[in-house]
Amino acid sequence: MIDACSREANPLLTIDDALDRIEAAVKPVSGTEKASLKNALGRVLAEAVYAPINIPHDRNAAMDGYAFASRDLADGQAFTLTLAGTSWAGRPFQGLLQAGQCIRIFTGAVVPEQADSVTMQEQVQVQGQTVRFPVDTRALQNIRKIGEDVKQGDCLLAQPKKLTAVDLGLLAAAGIDQVTVKRQLKIAHFSTGDELTALGRPLEPGKIYDSNRAMLGGLLADPGYSVVDLGVIPDNKQLLEDRFIEASTHYDAIITTGGASVGEADYVKEILQNCGEVNFWKIAIKPGKPLAFGNIGGCYFFGLPGNPVAVVVTFQQIVAPALRRLSGAPPAKPLRLTATCTSTLKKSPGRREYQRGVLSQNENGEFLVASAGQQGSHILSSMSQSGCYIVLPEESKGVQAGDRVTVEPFSLLI
């Protein structure tokens, strides 16, 4: 589809086609390393993990109460048993449970071999060493079986998997203290442009502070990434080329911001053609059309636009999936919901547009979304105030209040 707001002679590459090209070009890293559980969160599992033990390891009580043998159950009648002792979590009952006896038991405590039932403590009456059970006492209840959760030899976690806090808990429950994970990606990023000023220095006329490196540092905060900020490189073609080549020998991926457009000082595409390969340049996305992807030898290169909102959008929609694939993690798609738009949104057909929105949910559970304000690719304030993207497809000519739209939430909280 031709972009109605573009002067491109040929149709731009769609986002889906760009992602397909990335999937075909990017090969996951092969190196692995050992990681202790305390350092494994967010890492990509490289080898499947099998349970060395049953979970639970012993039969244990599902609640606080009294354990007894169902042979002592008086059918349809209340009955009494003699209290023979107590089983605590971590301190099992050591005796032999005899006919006519029961024990006090606590949640997680081992159930004696002779017992097969637990009644909750609120249902019995205790007088000294005598425990009275009610008429409706049920047998074979409230006991967790050996291996009920995981059986010894079962696959606990299959690879590849990006490890979560729950995964670490499961591994710990099996007594596993380290796992084999994919090595960290080595990623470098820097900004380009003569107009950029480092934080802490006064602004001169025509200069701006470099917000992109701060944002990329946050966007790249991942336990699976080892990230280096290489600072700002001025608009000097030879210097840029030298830095690109040097960085490509040390990192798996390079991410730059600025210099990817068509201005006289925008050298990124030309340099990438000289010292590497350009897979694609310019895609049908707004904001963020001037995006370059390629490689310099074995290092993948992402040249993002200079405007800060375009940096965020292109990183999240293009770079993040590429890095995920490079890290060896399984593919994942962003959560998308349908919401009623309460604002009028302007759009020309041709590019998929990611407008900033504020997502809410009414008392009926219906999702509503409103524009977060100005949508210019340099307007960071509306990006900060937004909670989702309003995703407008290529063919869209705009949205009227009351229309249903697709949204991508930034988090699970609204």
Side-chain angles (χ1 to χ4, degrees), residues 66-68 72 79-85 97-104 128-133:
Y66 291 82
F68 64 96
D72 289 325
F79 61 99
T80 60
L81 299 174
T82 301
L83 188 62
L97 193 65
Q98 305 289 342
Q101 291 182 333
C102 66
I103 63 164
R104 180 81 166 96
Q129 298 300 109
T130 300
V131 182
R132 182 177 178 82
F133 291 77

PDB file of all heavy atoms in Angstrom, residues 66-68 72 79-85 97-104 128-133:
ATOM      1  N   TYR A  66      -6.571 -33.323  62.070  1.00  0.00           N
ATOM      2  CA  TYR A  66      -6.298 -34.583  62.765  1.00  0.00           C
ATOM      3  C   TYR A  66      -6.274 -35.704  61.739  1.00  0.00           C
ATOM      4  O   TYR A  66      -7.191 -35.848  60.927  1.00  0.00           O
ATOM      5  CB  TYR A  66      -7.353 -34.836  63.835  1.00  0.00           C
ATOM      6  CG  TYR A  66      -7.233 -33.845  64.973  1.00  0.00           C
ATOM      7  CD1 TYR A  66      -7.802 -32.568  64.872  1.00  0.00           C
ATOM      8  CD2 TYR A  66      -6.514 -34.151  66.121  1.00  0.00           C
ATOM      9  CE1 TYR A  66      -7.662 -31.631  65.876  1.00  0.00           C
ATOM     10  CE2 TYR A  66      -6.359 -33.213  67.139  1.00  0.00           C
ATOM     11  CZ  TYR A  66      -6.927 -31.962  67.009  1.00  0.00           C
ATOM     12  OH  TYR A  66      -6.778 -31.038  68.006  1.00  0.00           O
ATOM     13  N   ALA A  67      -5.178 -36.498  61.772  1.00  0.00           N
ATOM     14  CA  ALA A  67      -5.003 -37.603  60.835  1.00  0.00           C
ATOM     15  C   ALA A  67      -5.430 -38.905  61.499  1.00  0.00           C
ATOM     16  O   ALA A  67      -5.128 -39.152  62.673  1.00  0.00           O
ATOM     17  CB  ALA A  67      -3.543 -37.681  60.387  1.00  0.00           C
ATOM     18  N   PHE A  68      -6.115 -39.750  60.706  1.00  0.00           N
ATOM     19  CA  PHE A  68      -6.580 -41.024  61.237  1.00  0.00           C
ATOM     20  C   PHE A  68      -6.676 -42.035  60.094  1.00  0.00           C
ATOM     21  O   PHE A  68      -6.533 -41.691  58.918  1.00  0.00           O
ATOM     22  CB  PHE A  68      -7.943 -40.858  61.933  1.00  0.00           C
ATOM     23  CG  PHE A  68      -9.045 -40.430  61.003  1.00  0.00           C
ATOM     24  CD1 PHE A  68      -9.912 -41.356  60.431  1.00  0.00           C
ATOM     25  CD2 PHE A  68      -9.237 -39.077  60.684  1.00  0.00           C
ATOM     26  CE1 PHE A  68     -10.925 -40.969  59.583  1.00  0.00           C
ATOM     27  CE2 PHE A  68     -10.243 -38.679  59.826  1.00  0.00           C
ATOM     28  CZ  PHE A  68     -11.095 -39.626  59.265  1.00  0.00           C
ATOM     29  N   ASP A  72     -11.166 -46.719  61.066  1.00  0.00           N
ATOM     30  CA  ASP A  72     -11.781 -46.335  62.338  1.00  0.00           C
ATOM     31  C   ASP A  72     -13.044 -45.512  62.150  1.00  0.00           C
ATOM     32  O   ASP A  72     -13.691 -45.110  63.129  1.00  0.00           O
ATOM     33  CB  ASP A  72     -10.783 -45.532  63.184  1.00  0.00           C
ATOM     34  CG  ASP A  72      -9.649 -46.395  63.717  1.00  0.00           C
ATOM     35  OD1 ASP A  72      -9.909 -47.573  64.035  1.00  0.00           O
ATOM     36  OD2 ASP A  72      -8.502 -45.894  63.804  1.00  0.00           O
ATOM     37  N   PHE A  79     -17.793 -40.483  66.115  1.00  0.00           N
ATOM     38  CA  PHE A  79     -16.903 -41.458  66.761  1.00  0.00           C
ATOM     39  C   PHE A  79     -15.768 -40.709  67.456  1.00  0.00           C
ATOM     40  O   PHE A  79     -15.502 -39.537  67.175  1.00  0.00           O
ATOM     41  CB  PHE A  79     -16.351 -42.453  65.746  1.00  0.00           C
ATOM     42  CG  PHE A  79     -15.524 -41.831  64.642  1.00  0.00           C
ATOM     43  CD1 PHE A  79     -14.138 -41.832  64.689  1.00  0.00           C
ATOM     44  CD2 PHE A  79     -16.144 -41.246  63.532  1.00  0.00           C
ATOM     45  CE1 PHE A  79     -13.382 -41.266  63.680  1.00  0.00           C
ATOM     46  CE2 PHE A  79     -15.390 -40.690  62.506  1.00  0.00           C
ATOM     47  CZ  PHE A  79     -14.012 -40.698  62.580  1.00  0.00           C
ATOM     48  N   THR A  80     -15.103 -41.395  68.371  1.00  0.00           N
ATOM     49  CA  THR A  80     -14.000 -40.809  69.104  1.00  0.00           C
ATOM     50  C   THR A  80     -12.745 -41.641  68.912  1.00  0.00           C
ATOM     51  O   THR A  80     -12.795 -42.863  68.760  1.00  0.00           O
ATOM     52  CB  THR A  80     -14.311 -40.712  70.606  1.00  0.00           C
ATOM     53  OG1 THR A  80     -14.546 -42.020  71.126  1.00  0.00           O
ATOM     54  CG2 THR A  80     -15.514 -39.824  70.852  1.00  0.00           C
ATOM     55  N   LEU A  81     -11.595 -40.926  68.891  1.00  0.00           N
ATOM     56  CA  LEU A  81     -10.285 -41.564  68.796  1.00  0.00           C
ATOM     57  C   LEU A  81      -9.367 -40.976  69.863  1.00  0.00           C
ATOM     58  O   LEU A  81      -9.586 -39.845  70.328  1.00  0.00           O
ATOM     59  CB  LEU A  81      -9.679 -41.350  67.414  1.00  0.00           C
ATOM     60  CG  LEU A  81     -10.459 -41.914  66.214  1.00  0.00           C
ATOM     61  CD1 LEU A  81      -9.788 -41.492  64.904  1.00  0.00           C
ATOM     62  CD2 LEU A  81     -10.563 -43.431  66.284  1.00  0.00           C
ATOM     63  N   THR A  82      -8.352 -41.729  70.210  1.00  0.00           N
ATOM     64  CA  THR A  82      -7.394 -41.275  71.220  1.00  0.00           C
ATOM     65  C   THR A  82      -6.225 -40.565  70.550  1.00  0.00           C
ATOM     66  O   THR A  82      -5.660 -41.052  69.567  1.00  0.00           O
ATOM     67  CB  THR A  82      -6.858 -42.463  72.030  1.00  0.00           C
ATOM     68  OG1 THR A  82      -7.952 -43.119  72.666  1.00  0.00           O
ATOM     69  CG2 THR A  82      -5.861 -42.007  73.087  1.00  0.00           C
ATOM     70  N   LEU A  83      -5.886 -39.409  71.072  1.00  0.00           N
ATOM     71  CA  LEU A  83      -4.789 -38.618  70.520  1.00  0.00           C
ATOM     72  C   LEU A  83      -3.458 -39.270  70.901  1.00  0.00           C
ATOM     73  O   LEU A  83      -3.135 -39.430  72.075  1.00  0.00           O
ATOM     74  CB  LEU A  83      -4.855 -37.183  71.050  1.00  0.00           C
ATOM     75  CG  LEU A  83      -3.891 -36.173  70.433  1.00  0.00           C
ATOM     76  CD1 LEU A  83      -4.165 -36.008  68.940  1.00  0.00           C
ATOM     77  CD2 LEU A  83      -4.016 -34.825  71.149  1.00  0.00           C
ATOM     78  N   ALA A  84      -2.668 -39.623  69.852  1.00  0.00           N
ATOM     79  CA  ALA A  84      -1.426 -40.350  70.108  1.00  0.00           C
ATOM     80  C   ALA A  84      -0.180 -39.491  69.963  1.00  0.00           C
ATOM     81  O   ALA A  84       0.919 -39.933  70.314  1.00  0.00           O
ATOM     82  CB  ALA A  84      -1.332 -41.535  69.147  1.00  0.00           C
ATOM     83  N   GLY A  85      -0.306 -38.306  69.468  1.00  0.00           N
ATOM     84  CA  GLY A  85       0.866 -37.454  69.288  1.00  0.00           C
ATOM     85  C   GLY A  85       0.618 -36.391  68.242  1.00  0.00           C
ATOM     86  O   GLY A  85      -0.525 -36.134  67.850  1.00  0.00           O
ATOM     87  N   LEU A  97       0.972 -45.495  64.506  1.00  0.00           N
ATOM     88  CA  LEU A  97      -0.437 -45.182  64.768  1.00  0.00           C
ATOM     89  C   LEU A  97      -1.222 -46.488  64.881  1.00  0.00           C
ATOM     90  O   LEU A  97      -1.251 -47.298  63.953  1.00  0.00           O
ATOM     91  CB  LEU A  97      -0.985 -44.315  63.640  1.00  0.00           C
ATOM     92  CG  LEU A  97      -2.338 -43.629  63.901  1.00  0.00           C
ATOM     93  CD1 LEU A  97      -2.213 -42.605  65.027  1.00  0.00           C
ATOM     94  CD2 LEU A  97      -2.836 -42.936  62.631  1.00  0.00           C
ATOM     95  N   GLN A  98      -1.853 -46.682  66.032  1.00  0.00           N
ATOM     96  CA  GLN A  98      -2.613 -47.908  66.303  1.00  0.00           C
ATOM     97  C   GLN A  98      -4.092 -47.694  65.976  1.00  0.00           C
ATOM     98  O   GLN A  98      -4.560 -46.563  65.839  1.00  0.00           O
ATOM     99  CB  GLN A  98      -2.468 -48.299  67.785  1.00  0.00           C
ATOM    100  CG  GLN A  98      -1.039 -48.459  68.257  1.00  0.00           C
ATOM    101  CD  GLN A  98      -0.374 -49.698  67.690  1.00  0.00           C
ATOM    102  OE1 GLN A  98      -1.038 -50.621  67.215  1.00  0.00           O
ATOM    103  NE2 GLN A  98       0.950 -49.735  67.721  1.00  0.00           N
ATOM    104  N   ALA A  99      -4.827 -48.805  65.863  1.00  0.00           N
ATOM    105  CA  ALA A  99      -6.281 -48.714  65.678  1.00  0.00           C
ATOM    106  C   ALA A  99      -6.894 -47.943  66.835  1.00  0.00           C
ATOM    107  O   ALA A  99      -6.500 -48.103  67.988  1.00  0.00           O
ATOM    108  CB  ALA A  99      -6.878 -50.114  65.592  1.00  0.00           C
ATOM    109  N   GLY A 100      -7.833 -47.075  66.511  1.00  0.00           N
ATOM    110  CA  GLY A 100      -8.493 -46.273  67.538  1.00  0.00           C
ATOM    111  C   GLY A 100      -7.725 -45.019  67.909  1.00  0.00           C
ATOM    112  O   GLY A 100      -8.115 -44.324  68.854  1.00  0.00           O
ATOM    113  N   GLN A 101      -6.659 -44.715  67.199  1.00  0.00           N
ATOM    114  CA  GLN A 101      -5.849 -43.532  67.513  1.00  0.00           C
ATOM    115  C   GLN A 101      -5.868 -42.531  66.354  1.00  0.00           C
ATOM    116  O   GLN A 101      -6.139 -42.887  65.190  1.00  0.00           O
ATOM    117  CB  GLN A 101      -4.400 -43.931  67.795  1.00  0.00           C
ATOM    118  CG  GLN A 101      -4.194 -44.716  69.072  1.00  0.00           C
ATOM    119  CD  GLN A 101      -2.725 -45.034  69.288  1.00  0.00           C
ATOM    120  OE1 GLN A 101      -1.934 -45.138  68.356  1.00  0.00           O
ATOM    121  NE2 GLN A 101      -2.352 -45.175  70.564  1.00  0.00           N
ATOM    122  N   CYS A 102      -5.537 -41.308  66.678  1.00  0.00           N
ATOM    123  CA  CYS A 102      -5.325 -40.251  65.681  1.00  0.00           C
ATOM    124  C   CYS A 102      -4.166 -39.392  66.143  1.00  0.00           C
ATOM    125  O   CYS A 102      -3.693 -39.537  67.284  1.00  0.00           O
ATOM    126  CB  CYS A 102      -6.586 -39.409  65.496  1.00  0.00           C
ATOM    127  SG  CYS A 102      -7.057 -38.429  66.942  1.00  0.00           S
ATOM    128  N   ILE A 103      -3.698 -38.515  65.281  1.00  0.00           N
ATOM    129  CA  ILE A 103      -2.653 -37.568  65.687  1.00  0.00           C
ATOM    130  C   ILE A 103      -3.051 -36.162  65.266  1.00  0.00           C
ATOM    131  O   ILE A 103      -3.808 -35.966  64.301  1.00  0.00           O
ATOM    132  CB  ILE A 103      -1.280 -37.918  65.086  1.00  0.00           C
ATOM    133  CG1 ILE A 103      -1.316 -37.823  63.545  1.00  0.00           C
ATOM    134  CG2 ILE A 103      -0.775 -39.280  65.558  1.00  0.00           C
ATOM    135  CD1 ILE A 103       0.058 -37.772  62.920  1.00  0.00           C
ATOM    136  N   ARG A 104      -2.568 -35.213  66.019  1.00  0.00           N
ATOM    137  CA  ARG A 104      -2.674 -33.808  65.625  1.00  0.00           C
ATOM    138  C   ARG A 104      -1.680 -33.599  64.490  1.00  0.00           C
ATOM    139  O   ARG A 104      -0.549 -34.083  64.544  1.00  0.00           O
ATOM    140  CB  ARG A 104      -2.305 -32.909  66.807  1.00  0.00           C
ATOM    141  CG  ARG A 104      -2.380 -31.411  66.512  1.00  0.00           C
ATOM    142  CD  ARG A 104      -3.804 -30.937  66.610  1.00  0.00           C
ATOM    143  NE  ARG A 104      -3.873 -29.490  66.656  1.00  0.00           N
ATOM    144  CZ  ARG A 104      -4.082 -28.687  65.612  1.00  0.00           C
ATOM    145  NH1 ARG A 104      -4.215 -29.209  64.405  1.00  0.00           N
ATOM    146  NH2 ARG A 104      -4.177 -27.379  65.765  1.00  0.00           N
ATOM    147  N   GLY A 128      -8.999 -33.210  76.393  1.00  0.00           N
ATOM    148  CA  GLY A 128      -7.838 -33.955  76.851  1.00  0.00           C
ATOM    149  C   GLY A 128      -7.220 -34.737  75.706  1.00  0.00           C
ATOM    150  O   GLY A 128      -6.840 -34.178  74.685  1.00  0.00           O
ATOM    151  N   GLN A 129      -7.163 -36.071  75.870  1.00  0.00           N
ATOM    152  CA  GLN A 129      -6.579 -36.941  74.854  1.00  0.00           C
ATOM    153  C   GLN A 129      -7.641 -37.592  73.975  1.00  0.00           C
ATOM    154  O   GLN A 129      -7.321 -38.472  73.180  1.00  0.00           O
ATOM    155  CB  GLN A 129      -5.722 -38.028  75.508  1.00  0.00           C
ATOM    156  CG  GLN A 129      -4.531 -37.478  76.302  1.00  0.00           C
ATOM    157  CD  GLN A 129      -3.596 -36.684  75.409  1.00  0.00           C
ATOM    158  OE1 GLN A 129      -3.536 -35.462  75.515  1.00  0.00           O
ATOM    159  NE2 GLN A 129      -2.898 -37.372  74.534  1.00  0.00           N
ATOM    160  N   THR A 130      -8.869 -37.125  74.124  1.00  0.00           N
ATOM    161  CA  THR A 130      -9.967 -37.700  73.338  1.00  0.00           C
ATOM    162  C   THR A 130     -10.414 -36.701  72.272  1.00  0.00           C
ATOM    163  O   THR A 130     -10.667 -35.535  72.557  1.00  0.00           O
ATOM    164  CB  THR A 130     -11.150 -38.058  74.230  1.00  0.00           C
ATOM    165  OG1 THR A 130     -10.724 -39.018  75.200  1.00  0.00           O
ATOM    166  CG2 THR A 130     -12.292 -38.642  73.412  1.00  0.00           C
ATOM    167  N   VAL A 131     -10.521 -37.208  71.024  1.00  0.00           N
ATOM    168  CA  VAL A 131     -10.925 -36.367  69.898  1.00  0.00           C
ATOM    169  C   VAL A 131     -12.216 -36.929  69.329  1.00  0.00           C
ATOM    170  O   VAL A 131     -12.283 -38.106  68.952  1.00  0.00           O
ATOM    171  CB  VAL A 131      -9.845 -36.333  68.804  1.00  0.00           C
ATOM    172  CG1 VAL A 131     -10.277 -35.411  67.661  1.00  0.00           C
ATOM    173  CG2 VAL A 131      -8.508 -35.888  69.369  1.00  0.00           C
ATOM    174  N   ARG A 132     -13.268 -36.095  69.318  1.00  0.00           N
ATOM    175  CA  ARG A 132     -14.570 -36.517  68.824  1.00  0.00           C
ATOM    176  C   ARG A 132     -14.765 -36.012  67.392  1.00  0.00           C
ATOM    177  O   ARG A 132     -14.684 -34.815  67.122  1.00  0.00           O
ATOM    178  CB  ARG A 132     -15.685 -35.983  69.728  1.00  0.00           C
ATOM    179  CG  ARG A 132     -17.090 -36.443  69.291  1.00  0.00           C
ATOM    180  CD  ARG A 132     -18.142 -35.956  70.268  1.00  0.00           C
ATOM    181  NE  ARG A 132     -19.486 -36.347  69.843  1.00  0.00           N
ATOM    182  CZ  ARG A 132     -20.031 -37.536  70.057  1.00  0.00           C
ATOM    183  NH1 ARG A 132     -19.332 -38.455  70.716  1.00  0.00           N
ATOM    184  NH2 ARG A 132     -21.262 -37.818  69.651  1.00  0.00           N
ATOM    185  N   PHE A 133     -15.034 -36.942  66.479  1.00  0.00           N
ATOM    186  CA  PHE A 133     -15.233 -36.628  65.062  1.00  0.00           C
ATOM    187  C   PHE A 133     -16.733 -36.618  64.762  1.00  0.00           C
ATOM    188  O   PHE A 133     -17.479 -37.460  65.274  1.00  0.00           O
ATOM    189  CB  PHE A 133     -14.540 -37.672  64.181  1.00  0.00           C
ATOM    190  CG  PHE A 133     -13.039 -37.617  64.240  1.00  0.00           C
ATOM    191  CD1 PHE A 133     -12.354 -38.148  65.329  1.00  0.00           C
ATOM    192  CD2 PHE A 133     -12.310 -37.028  63.224  1.00  0.00           C
ATOM    193  CE1 PHE A 133     -10.966 -38.102  65.384  1.00  0.00           C
ATOM    194  CE2 PHE A 133     -10.923 -36.983  63.271  1.00  0.00           C
ATOM    195  CZ  PHE A 133     -10.247 -37.517  64.363  1.00  0.00           C
TER     196      PHE A 133
END
